Amino acid sequence: MKKLISTILALTAAASLFALDGREIVKKALDVKDPAFTQSAVQMDLIEKNGAKETRLVREYGRSKNNIKAVVMIFLSPASVKDTRFLLQENEGNAPDDKFIFLPDLRSTRRVSTAEGSKSFMGTDASYDDLSTRDIDVDTHELLREEEKNGFNCYVVKSKAKNPQDSQYGYRIQWIDKATWVPVYAELYDKKDKLLKVLTVEKLEKINGATGETYNIPMINSMKNVQTGHETRLTIQKIVLDKPLPDRVFTQNFLNTGK
């Protein structure tokens, strides 16, 4: 019996030595390999609290080069947003991402300033800052628990800005799937610690890229502002991975010309 107890204690101690903490879990989620290129057709539904819905069609291009990401979004319909084009370009280190938007009515491209980070992106429930990936060390990361969420076995991690002025949120809680390291659910709290937004991955699918590598892609996800009742739902209708795109796609000139 003593030997059995000693063995159990030893195993428990060993397990605790190798247990992941909150930062390590978030780091693994950030380190999931992205496709080198993505091309997707996206349906964007803006849903009012009363159920009224506006459907937009968007073409999206993505590139991951030397772990630096760039994304271009082209709004195809309806007429109110048609030909609006948006570019997000990550920078190395802790430098803020560059964001540019082409507005067809003005026939010009302008830079989105960092001061606009908390503003809504194109009337959606995502802010401009929500589109960017935060540097891991500007936040603290606390592992709260492990639990199942929407069919996924998850780590639950609370992240909070070390400098409160550095985030529009009081804190964020993510449910990160243990099998894929993809965040499949998140709660975003305002500065008064009231729940503000909920992000839900409704469908996660394994997709083969052109080079034969497989990626876990959120095919349907939604962001809902629980305080207003407004929701933005994104459905990927078609996606192609790892098929090369020319560098010119990820430039301001492409925003201006669309080609």
Side-chain angles (χ1 to χ4, degrees), residues 133-189:
T133 300
R134 289 174 63 82
D135 183 86
I136 189 170
D137 288 321
V138 301
D139 297 325
T140 61
H141 306 282
E142 177 189 0
L143 174 60
L144 300 179
R145 58 188 180 275
E146 301 174 26
E147 69 180 19
E148 185 174 303
K149 189 70 170 180
N150 299 338
F152 297 97
N153 189 18
C154 299
Y155 293 109
V156 185
V157 180
K158 177 181 178 179
S159 299
K160 187 172 185 176
K162 294 177 180 177
N163 177 2
Q165 304 303 316
D166 192 40
S167 175
Q168 64 184 289
Y169 302 111
Y171 60 91
R172 296 166 288 124
I173 300 178
Q174 296 184 86
W175 280 252
I176 298 172
D177 177 38
K178 292 181 180 180
T180 62
W181 298 105
V182 174
V184 292
Y185 186 82
E187 295 178 344
L188 310 177
Y189 290 78

